[in-house]
Amino acid sequence: MLEIRHLRTLSALRSAGSLVRAAQLLNLTQSALSHQIKLLEDRYGGPLFERKSVPIGFTATGSRLLKLADMLLPEIETAEREVARLMQGDTGQLRVALECHTCFDWLMPVMDEFRKRWPEVEIDLVSGFHSEPADLLRSGEADLVIGSAYGPEFSTFPLFRFEILVVMAQKHRLAQQRRLSAADFEGETLITYPVPEERIDLIREVLNPANVHFQRRTAELTVAVLQLVASRRGIAALPNWAIKNYVDYDYVIARPVGEQGLWSDLFVSVPETQKHKAYVLDFVNVIREQCAASLDGIKLLS
């Protein structure tokens, strides 16, 4: 029997563009997703999409099922939200604080989509720079923080994993290296956001364990960090999505750290009182859906 999950699978394949990313979006293993698709193809007697096409090209059968998904899934999601409103109330407040300073670019479309789904919920960003965003949750000044996982006192929802790349000027002394090691940073000036060192992955995971000596300079805005890098005032470590356009236009160059790369995980943290609210759960889903479709090089967390 054709089920709602099958339609969601096809919709996720289209939006994610690959089996790997679709599995992440659906919180399935790739083998479980492949098995589900095989059973569906066995039912209809043929393939639903072309395996080797990039982006994924759907067959006539797959396209017809996608048309059905486009008709039904929005209605189902709307009904689910309306039921949640009836059960929990249809108004609320969602004050969002960011530990991740580079999240603004992708967060704006997320907030726009969320407002369409939950027009009754007042969503806003907590303004200003905050060195310890978790304190905003403790004081009640924020309802949700995007950043690190803050431990058992808060409920945490996983978002995605991303690679941190080192950016430098075109003619920097390290520009010819394919990958960087801890020793390469000796004596360098590292330009960071003004946050405690223990919250900076490169320092915590790479430089301090290797006893590397470096200088540090801070700037609050990503564009200011990159301007300093381009003018050869130092180097910086930033998420892959934050620097893509700057690298594509040869404003700076980027290099990975170590043979496996330097990766970090992003989470949503909320107080325990917020964790079951339907609009909070849907906000997390919107982030995952939008980022899976728009950000290259990320891996959704399950």
PDB file of all heavy atoms in Angstrom, residues 178-199:
ATOM      1  N   ARG A 178      48.057  21.968   0.816  1.00  0.00           N
ATOM      2  CA  ARG A 178      46.748  21.361   0.545  1.00  0.00           C
ATOM      3  C   ARG A 178      45.927  21.259   1.812  1.00  0.00           C
ATOM      4  O   ARG A 178      44.719  21.475   1.792  1.00  0.00           O
ATOM      5  CB  ARG A 178      46.957  19.970  -0.076  1.00  0.00           C
ATOM      6  CG  ARG A 178      45.684  19.284  -0.539  1.00  0.00           C
ATOM      7  CD  ARG A 178      46.016  17.958  -1.187  1.00  0.00           C
ATOM      8  NE  ARG A 178      46.599  17.020  -0.246  1.00  0.00           N
ATOM      9  CZ  ARG A 178      45.897  16.181   0.511  1.00  0.00           C
ATOM     10  NH1 ARG A 178      44.572  16.178   0.438  1.00  0.00           N
ATOM     11  NH2 ARG A 178      46.496  15.352   1.334  1.00  0.00           N
ATOM     12  N   ARG A 179      46.553  20.909   2.915  1.00  0.00           N
ATOM     13  CA  ARG A 179      45.908  20.822   4.218  1.00  0.00           C
ATOM     14  C   ARG A 179      46.830  21.423   5.271  1.00  0.00           C
ATOM     15  O   ARG A 179      48.049  21.434   5.096  1.00  0.00           O
ATOM     16  CB  ARG A 179      45.599  19.361   4.588  1.00  0.00           C
ATOM     17  CG  ARG A 179      44.503  18.737   3.725  1.00  0.00           C
ATOM     18  CD  ARG A 179      44.236  17.291   4.116  1.00  0.00           C
ATOM     19  NE  ARG A 179      43.123  16.767   3.357  1.00  0.00           N
ATOM     20  CZ  ARG A 179      41.847  16.872   3.705  1.00  0.00           C
ATOM     21  NH1 ARG A 179      41.548  17.478   4.853  1.00  0.00           N
ATOM     22  NH2 ARG A 179      40.878  16.380   2.964  1.00  0.00           N
ATOM     23  N   LEU A 180      46.241  21.880   6.364  1.00  0.00           N
ATOM     24  CA  LEU A 180      47.031  22.484   7.422  1.00  0.00           C
ATOM     25  C   LEU A 180      47.085  21.571   8.640  1.00  0.00           C
ATOM     26  O   LEU A 180      46.122  20.859   8.941  1.00  0.00           O
ATOM     27  CB  LEU A 180      46.419  23.826   7.832  1.00  0.00           C
ATOM     28  CG  LEU A 180      46.257  24.869   6.723  1.00  0.00           C
ATOM     29  CD1 LEU A 180      45.679  26.150   7.296  1.00  0.00           C
ATOM     30  CD2 LEU A 180      47.568  25.137   6.017  1.00  0.00           C
ATOM     31  N   SER A 181      48.215  21.621   9.325  1.00  0.00           N
ATOM     32  CA  SER A 181      48.370  20.896  10.585  1.00  0.00           C
ATOM     33  C   SER A 181      48.547  21.918  11.702  1.00  0.00           C
ATOM     34  O   SER A 181      48.719  23.121  11.458  1.00  0.00           O
ATOM     35  CB  SER A 181      49.590  19.972  10.528  1.00  0.00           C
ATOM     36  OG  SER A 181      50.776  20.744  10.386  1.00  0.00           O
ATOM     37  N   ALA A 182      48.534  21.440  12.943  1.00  0.00           N
ATOM     38  CA  ALA A 182      48.638  22.352  14.081  1.00  0.00           C
ATOM     39  C   ALA A 182      49.897  23.207  14.013  1.00  0.00           C
ATOM     40  O   ALA A 182      49.864  24.413  14.288  1.00  0.00           O
ATOM     41  CB  ALA A 182      48.594  21.550  15.381  1.00  0.00           C
ATOM     42  N   ALA A 183      51.011  22.598  13.621  1.00  0.00           N
ATOM     43  CA  ALA A 183      52.287  23.322  13.594  1.00  0.00           C
ATOM     44  C   ALA A 183      52.267  24.502  12.631  1.00  0.00           C
ATOM     45  O   ALA A 183      53.012  25.477  12.815  1.00  0.00           O
ATOM     46  CB  ALA A 183      53.412  22.362  13.233  1.00  0.00           C
ATOM     47  N   ASP A 184      51.440  24.452  11.605  1.00  0.00           N
ATOM     48  CA  ASP A 184      51.388  25.544  10.625  1.00  0.00           C
ATOM     49  C   ASP A 184      50.893  26.846  11.233  1.00  0.00           C
ATOM     50  O   ASP A 184      51.123  27.930  10.679  1.00  0.00           O
ATOM     51  CB  ASP A 184      50.469  25.161   9.458  1.00  0.00           C
ATOM     52  CG  ASP A 184      51.017  24.008   8.640  1.00  0.00           C
ATOM     53  OD1 ASP A 184      52.250  23.953   8.453  1.00  0.00           O
ATOM     54  OD2 ASP A 184      50.220  23.158   8.187  1.00  0.00           O
ATOM     55  N   PHE A 185      50.219  26.773  12.374  1.00  0.00           N
ATOM     56  CA  PHE A 185      49.637  27.968  12.980  1.00  0.00           C
ATOM     57  C   PHE A 185      50.598  28.677  13.939  1.00  0.00           C
ATOM     58  O   PHE A 185      50.256  29.726  14.481  1.00  0.00           O
ATOM     59  CB  PHE A 185      48.357  27.596  13.733  1.00  0.00           C
ATOM     60  CG  PHE A 185      47.250  27.122  12.846  1.00  0.00           C
ATOM     61  CD1 PHE A 185      47.147  25.783  12.500  1.00  0.00           C
ATOM     62  CD2 PHE A 185      46.314  28.011  12.341  1.00  0.00           C
ATOM     63  CE1 PHE A 185      46.122  25.326  11.677  1.00  0.00           C
ATOM     64  CE2 PHE A 185      45.286  27.578  11.521  1.00  0.00           C
ATOM     65  CZ  PHE A 185      45.189  26.229  11.184  1.00  0.00           C
ATOM     66  N   GLU A 186      51.768  28.107  14.149  1.00  0.00           N
ATOM     67  CA  GLU A 186      52.728  28.693  15.084  1.00  0.00           C
ATOM     68  C   GLU A 186      53.051  30.134  14.668  1.00  0.00           C
ATOM     69  O   GLU A 186      53.473  30.400  13.550  1.00  0.00           O
ATOM     70  CB  GLU A 186      54.004  27.857  15.126  1.00  0.00           C
ATOM     71  CG  GLU A 186      55.024  28.306  16.151  1.00  0.00           C
ATOM     72  CD  GLU A 186      54.573  28.028  17.587  1.00  0.00           C
ATOM     73  OE1 GLU A 186      53.927  26.980  17.829  1.00  0.00           O
ATOM     74  OE2 GLU A 186      54.877  28.862  18.466  1.00  0.00           O
ATOM     75  N   GLY A 187      52.846  31.074  15.603  1.00  0.00           N
ATOM     76  CA  GLY A 187      53.168  32.475  15.352  1.00  0.00           C
ATOM     77  C   GLY A 187      52.145  33.234  14.528  1.00  0.00           C
ATOM     78  O   GLY A 187      52.311  34.440  14.299  1.00  0.00           O
ATOM     79  N   GLU A 188      51.079  32.577  14.079  1.00  0.00           N
ATOM     80  CA  GLU A 188      50.064  33.245  13.257  1.00  0.00           C
ATOM     81  C   GLU A 188      49.120  34.088  14.131  1.00  0.00           C
ATOM     82  O   GLU A 188      49.001  33.861  15.334  1.00  0.00           O
ATOM     83  CB  GLU A 188      49.229  32.213  12.487  1.00  0.00           C
ATOM     84  CG  GLU A 188      49.948  31.590  11.315  1.00  0.00           C
ATOM     85  CD  GLU A 188      50.147  32.570  10.161  1.00  0.00           C
ATOM     86  OE1 GLU A 188      49.346  33.533  10.052  1.00  0.00           O
ATOM     87  OE2 GLU A 188      51.084  32.376   9.382  1.00  0.00           O
ATOM     88  N   THR A 189      48.462  35.041  13.488  1.00  0.00           N
ATOM     89  CA  THR A 189      47.391  35.798  14.132  1.00  0.00           C
ATOM     90  C   THR A 189      46.064  35.182  13.715  1.00  0.00           C
ATOM     91  O   THR A 189      45.754  35.116  12.519  1.00  0.00           O
ATOM     92  CB  THR A 189      47.424  37.283  13.732  1.00  0.00           C
ATOM     93  OG1 THR A 189      48.649  37.869  14.198  1.00  0.00           O
ATOM     94  CG2 THR A 189      46.240  38.032  14.339  1.00  0.00           C
ATOM     95  N   LEU A 190      45.311  34.730  14.689  1.00  0.00           N
ATOM     96  CA  LEU A 190      44.019  34.100  14.426  1.00  0.00           C
ATOM     97  C   LEU A 190      42.916  35.118  14.715  1.00  0.00           C
ATOM     98  O   LEU A 190      42.810  35.633  15.821  1.00  0.00           O
ATOM     99  CB  LEU A 190      43.842  32.866  15.306  1.00  0.00           C
ATOM    100  CG  LEU A 190      42.577  32.038  15.093  1.00  0.00           C
ATOM    101  CD1 LEU A 190      42.548  31.443  13.688  1.00  0.00           C
ATOM    102  CD2 LEU A 190      42.468  30.936  16.137  1.00  0.00           C
ATOM    103  N   ILE A 191      42.114  35.404  13.696  1.00  0.00           N
ATOM    104  CA  ILE A 191      41.028  36.372  13.834  1.00  0.00           C
ATOM    105  C   ILE A 191      39.754  35.599  14.156  1.00  0.00           C
ATOM    106  O   ILE A 191      39.340  34.720  13.400  1.00  0.00           O
ATOM    107  CB  ILE A 191      40.860  37.199  12.553  1.00  0.00           C
ATOM    108  CG1 ILE A 191      42.183  37.898  12.206  1.00  0.00           C
ATOM    109  CG2 ILE A 191      39.740  38.223  12.714  1.00  0.00           C
ATOM    110  CD1 ILE A 191      42.210  38.519  10.844  1.00  0.00           C
ATOM    111  N   THR A 192      39.130  35.925  15.276  1.00  0.00           N
ATOM    112  CA  THR A 192      37.960  35.178  15.749  1.00  0.00           C
ATOM    113  C   THR A 192      36.862  36.154  16.174  1.00  0.00           C
ATOM    114  O   THR A 192      37.088  37.361  16.298  1.00  0.00           O
ATOM    115  CB  THR A 192      38.314  34.286  16.948  1.00  0.00           C
ATOM    116  OG1 THR A 192      38.453  35.110  18.116  1.00  0.00           O
ATOM    117  CG2 THR A 192      39.596  33.502  16.714  1.00  0.00           C
ATOM    118  N   TYR A 193      35.707  35.610  16.440  1.00  0.00           N
ATOM    119  CA  TYR A 193      34.675  36.376  17.123  1.00  0.00           C
ATOM    120  C   TYR A 193      35.085  36.540  18.587  1.00  0.00           C
ATOM    121  O   TYR A 193      35.865  35.727  19.111  1.00  0.00           O
ATOM    122  CB  TYR A 193      33.337  35.647  17.042  1.00  0.00           C
ATOM    123  CG  TYR A 193      32.855  35.421  15.633  1.00  0.00           C
ATOM    124  CD1 TYR A 193      32.793  34.133  15.100  1.00  0.00           C
ATOM    125  CD2 TYR A 193      32.470  36.488  14.831  1.00  0.00           C
ATOM    126  CE1 TYR A 193      32.361  33.919  13.804  1.00  0.00           C
ATOM    127  CE2 TYR A 193      32.037  36.282  13.525  1.00  0.00           C
ATOM    128  CZ  TYR A 193      31.991  35.002  13.022  1.00  0.00           C
ATOM    129  OH  TYR A 193      31.569  34.790  11.743  1.00  0.00           O
ATOM    130  N   PRO A 194      34.570  37.557  19.278  1.00  0.00           N
ATOM    131  CA  PRO A 194      34.980  37.786  20.678  1.00  0.00           C
ATOM    132  C   PRO A 194      34.256  36.858  21.651  1.00  0.00           C
ATOM    133  O   PRO A 194      33.390  37.268  22.430  1.00  0.00           O
ATOM    134  CB  PRO A 194      34.601  39.256  20.904  1.00  0.00           C
ATOM    135  CG  PRO A 194      33.480  39.512  19.960  1.00  0.00           C
ATOM    136  CD  PRO A 194      33.747  38.670  18.747  1.00  0.00           C
ATOM    137  N   VAL A 195      34.620  35.590  21.586  1.00  0.00           N
ATOM    138  CA  VAL A 195      34.030  34.582  22.467  1.00  0.00           C
ATOM    139  C   VAL A 195      35.158  33.905  23.237  1.00  0.00           C
ATOM    140  O   VAL A 195      36.330  33.972  22.832  1.00  0.00           O
ATOM    141  CB  VAL A 195      33.226  33.538  21.662  1.00  0.00           C
ATOM    142  CG1 VAL A 195      32.084  34.202  20.915  1.00  0.00           C
ATOM    143  CG2 VAL A 195      34.131  32.776  20.691  1.00  0.00           C
ATOM    144  N   PRO A 196      34.848  33.229  24.336  1.00  0.00           N
ATOM    145  CA  PRO A 196      35.898  32.526  25.078  1.00  0.00           C
ATOM    146  C   PRO A 196      36.617  31.499  24.208  1.00  0.00           C
ATOM    147  O   PRO A 196      36.006  30.870  23.346  1.00  0.00           O
ATOM    148  CB  PRO A 196      35.119  31.844  26.218  1.00  0.00           C
ATOM    149  CG  PRO A 196      33.888  32.669  26.381  1.00  0.00           C
ATOM    150  CD  PRO A 196      33.534  33.153  25.018  1.00  0.00           C
ATOM    151  N   GLU A 197      37.903  31.317  24.440  1.00  0.00           N
ATOM    152  CA  GLU A 197      38.709  30.408  23.623  1.00  0.00           C
ATOM    153  C   GLU A 197      38.166  28.984  23.625  1.00  0.00           C
ATOM    154  O   GLU A 197      38.256  28.284  22.612  1.00  0.00           O
ATOM    155  CB  GLU A 197      40.170  30.404  24.095  1.00  0.00           C
ATOM    156  CG  GLU A 197      40.938  31.646  23.702  1.00  0.00           C
ATOM    157  CD  GLU A 197      42.437  31.481  23.885  1.00  0.00           C
ATOM    158  OE1 GLU A 197      42.860  30.390  24.347  1.00  0.00           O
ATOM    159  OE2 GLU A 197      43.181  32.425  23.573  1.00  0.00           O
ATOM    160  N   GLU A 198      37.593  28.566  24.741  1.00  0.00           N
ATOM    161  CA  GLU A 198      37.105  27.182  24.814  1.00  0.00           C
ATOM    162  C   GLU A 198      35.924  26.941  23.888  1.00  0.00           C
ATOM    163  O   GLU A 198      35.555  25.790  23.645  1.00  0.00           O
ATOM    164  CB  GLU A 198      36.738  26.815  26.253  1.00  0.00           C
ATOM    165  CG  GLU A 198      35.665  27.665  26.888  1.00  0.00           C
ATOM    166  CD  GLU A 198      36.230  28.868  27.644  1.00  0.00           C
ATOM    167  OE1 GLU A 198      37.398  29.242  27.397  1.00  0.00           O
ATOM    168  OE2 GLU A 198      35.489  29.412  28.498  1.00  0.00           O
ATOM    169  N   ARG A 199      35.318  27.983  23.338  1.00  0.00           N
ATOM    170  CA  ARG A 199      34.215  27.814  22.405  1.00  0.00           C
ATOM    171  C   ARG A 199      34.672  27.881  20.948  1.00  0.00           C
ATOM    172  O   ARG A 199      33.845  27.777  20.043  1.00  0.00           O
ATOM    173  CB  ARG A 199      33.136  28.871  22.661  1.00  0.00           C
ATOM    174  CG  ARG A 199      32.251  28.487  23.832  1.00  0.00           C
ATOM    175  CD  ARG A 199      31.143  29.480  24.086  1.00  0.00           C
ATOM    176  NE  ARG A 199      30.586  30.041  22.883  1.00  0.00           N
ATOM    177  CZ  ARG A 199      29.989  31.242  22.836  1.00  0.00           C
ATOM    178  NH1 ARG A 199      29.921  31.977  23.926  1.00  0.00           N
ATOM    179  NH2 ARG A 199      29.476  31.687  21.715  1.00  0.00           N
TER     180      ARG A 199
END
